Amino acid sequence: MTQKTYIQSYIQIENNEIVLNGESVFKTEPTNFGDFSKQALRNFEIQYPKFFKMDALSKLAFLGAELLLSPIVEENAANNIALVLANKSASLDTDVKHQESISDPENYFPSPAVFVYTLPNICLGEISIRHQLKSENSFFIFDAFNTEFMFNYSNILLNTNKAEKVLCGWTELFNDNYKAFLCVIGTEENSKYKNETINTLYNK
């Protein structure tokens, strides 16, 4: 029997602001994403030195995941939370930086620290390492956020017992234009979002 699933919590990050469950929890004056992400890390007192070595896409996904997963992840426990993310630009933001480092024969200096992030699913690895997740994970590329596909995919993971919860969403970043929408989906009924869909929350 198919279980009904519900959105448990959600987060939106764009335009120098973080909105958690419909409430603005952090906002800065207009600035670039790098500065915004550092200010957000300090604001929420997140102690994670590796953050500063990540590419921008991973930082965006990390921040959203951190605020959603930290309250529900149990330390030293097998947290069976699947990760299902998507975007439009893949890792293009990093790809451009890597290409610039190899395009000039007289200034040929490819950086392994940049090259390692030339796959968009690396952000899933960063989240998994942070929260010690050894669960299912997938990263999709769409022209636009395909909310129906993402919700259906998450439901399959939940109803086939591949996951107890799913962190699902959109993490798009290119040339300092960014937008993240992440939500946690589970089988526990949540009256607050009982009649909400990913699409309605994403477009609020």
Side-chain angles (χ1 to χ4, degrees):
M1 183 178 176
T2 301
Q3 299 182 83
K4 188 168 176 56
T5 60
Y6 304 89
I7 293 170
Q8 308 292 316
S9 57
Y10 73 99
I11 194 166
Q12 295 162 297
I13 306 175
E14 65 177 324
N15 298 327
N16 304 292
E17 184 176 20
I18 299 176
V19 176
L20 180 63
N21 297 322
E23 178 184 349
S24 179
V25 293
F26 179 70
K27 189 173 184 179
T28 69
E29 293 297 318
T31 186
N32 60 52
F33 176 75
D35 185 51
F36 168 76
S37 64
K38 289 176 186 176
Q39 290 189 52
L41 198 76
R42 288 195 294 269
N43 178 75
F44 296 109
E45 300 181 343
I46 301 169
Q47 303 298 319
Y48 198 63
K50 192 183 177 186
F51 178 86
F52 299 99
K53 298 180 181 179
M54 294 180 193
D55 70 320
L57 178 62
S58 293
K59 288 178 179 178
L60 178 63
F62 178 94
L63 282 172
E66 183 72 13
L67 296 178
L68 289 179
L69 295 183
S70 291
I72 63 174
V73 166
E74 296 179 35
E75 194 172 348
N76 301 318
N79 295 284
N80 190 13
I81 302 172
L83 306 175
V84 182
L85 300 184
N87 75 4
K88 178 179 180 179
S89 300
S91 58
L92 190 57
D93 191 72
T94 302
D95 297 343
V96 169
K97 293 179 176 66
H98 177 65
Q99 180 61 39
E100 288 173 349
S101 74
I102 65 175
S103 59
D104 183 354
E106 296 181 2
N107 191 30
Y108 184 84
F109 194 71
S111 167
V114 173
F115 178 73
V116 74
Y117 289 103
T118 53
L119 287 173
N121 62 330
I122 298 301
C123 67
L124 299 176
E126 296 289 10
I127 295 169
S128 297
I129 292 168
R130 168 63 168 171
H131 297 286
Q132 294 298 295
L133 303 179
K134 299 174 182 178
S135 43
E136 296 277 334
N137 65 74
S138 299
F139 199 105
F140 298 96
I141 310 299
F142 296 119
D143 282 336
F145 189 18
N146 190 331
T147 56
E148 183 177 0
F149 173 89
M150 299 293 279
F151 191 68
N152 289 341
Y153 192 92
S154 300
N155 283 347
I156 290 171
L157 292 176
L158 293 166
N159 278 286
T160 55
N161 297 315
K162 295 285 180 65
E164 294 174 3
K165 286 181 172 43
V166 177
L167 177 70
C168 167
W170 180 256
T171 52
E172 168 63 14
L173 185 146
F174 182 56
N175 277 346
D176 227 39
N177 294 313
Y178 61 93
K179 180 170 184 174
F181 174 90
L182 302 173
C183 62
V184 175
I185 300 172
T187 55
E188 304 89 351
E189 182 172 332
N190 185 331
S191 58
K192 188 173 182 180
Y193 306 119
K194 186 175 181 179
N195 299 313
E196 297 280 15
T197 65
I198 295 178
N199 190 55
T200 56
L201 292 175
Y202 175 74
N203 289 301
K204 275 192 174 181

